[in-house]
């Protein structure tokens, strides 16, 4: 069944990309608050869902107040994908914006099993999967893929056309080849070529790290929406910046170190509320939040040993002590501190 998603993306122009081990409900909460118009879950294995794996089913948990989410499924068995797509729709009901089929993940442990970006090497099977999921699902089905599989062999245009014929209501194109992983720069020209070749909305993905990038991608490609991934790690404020830029509004002030740490502390507590052992996920997030801080390398290694909110708080306290030392050094040498420390900091 075809669904016209053009009106949807006229309102949902800035999206949080699906990222394994990152886009859980805690992170989605923070990104949505900063303006991510739609957030994707972590990618979900259709095979694991078919075995009723509780850990995998947990990836579908919604955050408090999360009204709408996109779920990304991966797998290479059309029947399994179709059955689990129908199950996800039943579970999430009106909270599900649409189902997305992952055909872009380049990770070896995914592609080596024939999933993710490996499906770009088997376009007939890829089309069969999309057709099966589309027939099983009541709502829209979209597909996310890359410029092509092998470096130098661009197949995204033909692949997008095939996905559209198979029933995809929208496609997302990452401007790198699968074999590139995240090396080099994303080629936005590939996204533009897909936009020109299909009638369904195209979401642009790859190297959007600022409001200016979001505007430039829209202008250069004509994409319906912009998807932000790695640039949001430790920086949910990028969505506020992107929305302001796309609206032609002044850019919001960048967060101060105090605001970044306050957000990181809250992030840790959201993870702990989800499940205490989930707090270990905060280790990588804490490093992202404190990138570029004074004496960061000296302190950030301590995050790898944190397992509780209290332990993270101790390291964050140390991080802010170094920030205050640096602020004093700036004042002593006649420099202006570009932010205002909160009272009692």
């Amino acid at each position: 069944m075809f669904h016209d998603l053009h009106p949807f993306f006229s309102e949902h122009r800035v999206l949080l990309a699906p990222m394994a081990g990152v886009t859980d409900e805690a992170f989605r909460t923070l990104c949505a608050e900063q303006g991510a118009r739609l957030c994707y879950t972590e990618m979900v294995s259709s095979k694991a869902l078919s075995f009723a794996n509780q850990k995998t089913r947990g990836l579908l948990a919604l955050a408090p107040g999360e009204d709408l989410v996109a779920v990304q499924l991966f797998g290479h068995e059309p029947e399994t994908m179709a059955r689990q797509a129908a199950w996800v729709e039943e579970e999430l009901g009106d909270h599900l914006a649409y189902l997305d089929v992952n055909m872009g993940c380049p990770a070896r442990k995914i592609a080596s099993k024939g999933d993710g970006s490996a499906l770009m090497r088997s376009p007939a099977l890829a089309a069969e999967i999309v057709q099966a999921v589309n027939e099983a699902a009541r709502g829209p089905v979209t597909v996310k893929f890359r410029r092509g599989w092998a470096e130098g062999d661009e197949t995204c245009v033909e692949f997008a056309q095939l996905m559209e014929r198979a029933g995809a209501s929208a496609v997302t194109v990452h401007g790198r080849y699968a074999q590139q992983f995240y090396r080099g720069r994303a080629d936005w020209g590939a996204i533009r070529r897909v936009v020109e070749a299909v009638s369904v909305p195209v979401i642009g993905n790859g190297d959007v790290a600022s409001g200016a990038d979001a505007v430039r991608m829209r202008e250069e490609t004509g994409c319906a929406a912009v998807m932000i991934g790695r640039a949001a790690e430790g920086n949910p404020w990028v969505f506020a910046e992107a929305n302001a830029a796309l609206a032609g509004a002044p850019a919001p002030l960048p967060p101060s170190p105090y605001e970044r740490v306050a957000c990181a502390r809250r992030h840790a507590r959201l993870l702990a509320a989800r499940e205490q052992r989930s707090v270990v996920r905060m280790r990588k997030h804490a490093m992202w939040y404190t990138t570029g801080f004074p004496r960061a390398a000296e302190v950030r290694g301590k995050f790898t040993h944190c397992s509780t909110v209290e332990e993270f708080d101790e390291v964050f306290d140390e991080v802010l002590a170094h920030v205050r030392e640096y602020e004093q050094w700036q004042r002593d040498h006649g420099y202006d501190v570009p932010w205002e420390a909160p009272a009692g900091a």
Side-chain angles (χ1 to χ4, degrees):
M1 183 184 300
F2 175 76
H3 299 264
D4 183 7
L5 287 178
H6 284 96
F8 181 86
F9 290 117
S10 68
E11 297 181 7
H12 300 76
R13 297 190 299 172
V14 185
L15 317 178
L16 170 64
M19 292 183 285
V22 177
T23 55
D24 54 34
E25 62 266 35
F27 188 63
R28 296 199 306 270
T29 294
L30 299 171
C31 291
E33 288 176 354
Q34 291 297 329
R37 299 306 186 206
L38 180 70
C39 299
Y40 284 59
T41 64
E42 302 175 63
M43 62 180 186
V44 179
S45 167
S46 61
K47 195 71 170 179
L49 282 181
S50 72
F51 295 136
N53 182 285
Q54 290 304 308
K55 182 178 179 181
T56 302
R57 287 186 171 186
L59 299 176
L60 299 172
L62 297 175
E66 189 169 31
D67 294 328
L68 204 60
V69 69
V71 172
Q72 188 184 71
L73 290 175
F74 75 92
H76 62 273
E77 299 172 350
E79 291 185 7
T80 302
M81 289 283 285
R83 284 198 305 272
Q84 300 314 311
W87 182 84
V88 169
E89 275 197 331
E90 188 68 25
E91 284 292 299
L92 293 184
D94 293 339
H95 293 292
L96 182 66
Y98 51 78
L99 286 158
D100 186 69
V101 180
N102 183 316
M103 298 190 183
C105 179
R108 289 186 178 88
K109 67 179 181 180
I110 301 296
S112 64
K113 296 176 182 177
D115 301 330
S117 60
L119 286 166
M120 295 198 75
R121 304 170 71 185
S122 305
L125 175 59
E128 186 181 350
I129 289 170
V130 172
Q131 183 173 350
V133 172
N134 192 48
E135 290 174 354
R138 298 186 301 274
V141 175
T142 67
V143 188
K144 186 174 188 292
F145 51 91
R146 286 192 162 219
R147 186 181 179 186
W149 168 264
E151 290 193 57
D153 184 17
E154 183 175 293
T155 60
C156 56
V157 170
E158 296 84 357
F159 196 82
Q161 292 171 327
L162 185 59
M163 295 303 101
E164 181 179 22
R165 290 196 297 273
S169 294
V171 296
T172 301
V173 184
H174 181 112
R176 288 181 177 83
Y177 297 107
Q179 288 186 340
Q180 273 184 276
F181 291 90
Y182 296 97
R183 292 183 287 104
R185 295 289 300 173
D187 186 324
W188 293 354
I191 300 170
R192 184 189 69 251
R193 289 187 282 278
V194 172
V195 170
E196 294 170 348
V198 298
S199 60
V200 297
V202 177
I203 303 165
N205 180 220
D207 294 343
V208 176
S210 66
D213 289 340
V215 170
R216 189 165 60 85
M217 175 178 272
R218 285 287 300 269
E219 291 176 346
E220 292 184 10
T221 69
C223 64
V226 171
M227 179 177 282
I228 300 176
R230 290 175 298 155
E233 294 172 341
N235 184 30
W237 300 275
V238 69
F239 294 103
E241 183 183 342
N243 279 309
L246 289 170
L253 292 174
S256 72
Y258 297 97
E259 291 171 305
R260 297 180 74 88
V261 170
C263 185
R265 291 188 199 268
R266 181 166 170 237
H267 195 157
R269 282 160 173 76
L270 288 171
L271 285 170
R274 178 184 188 230
E275 186 181 11
Q276 180 57 44
R277 66 186 180 198
S278 296
V279 177
V280 297
R281 280 192 168 203
M282 192 63 206
R283 293 172 180 174
K284 58 177 174 270
H285 288 286
M287 293 185 186
W288 291 328
Y289 279 113
T290 56
T291 296
F293 277 37
R295 296 169 66 178
E298 177 184 331
V299 175
R300 288 166 66 209
K302 297 181 181 181
F303 287 127
T304 61
H305 303 291
C306 294
S307 299
T308 67
V309 168
E310 293 73 21
E311 289 171 350
F312 278 106
D313 277 338
E314 287 182 10
V315 183
F316 285 133
D317 288 343
E318 187 173 346
V319 166
L320 289 182
H322 294 319
V323 169
R324 288 189 290 271
E325 289 175 5
Y326 180 62
E327 289 174 342
Q328 190 58 52
W329 181 91
Q330 288 180 302
R331 295 187 188 96
D332 291 345
H333 289 78
Y335 296 106
D336 290 329
V337 177
W339 56 78
E340 183 175 342

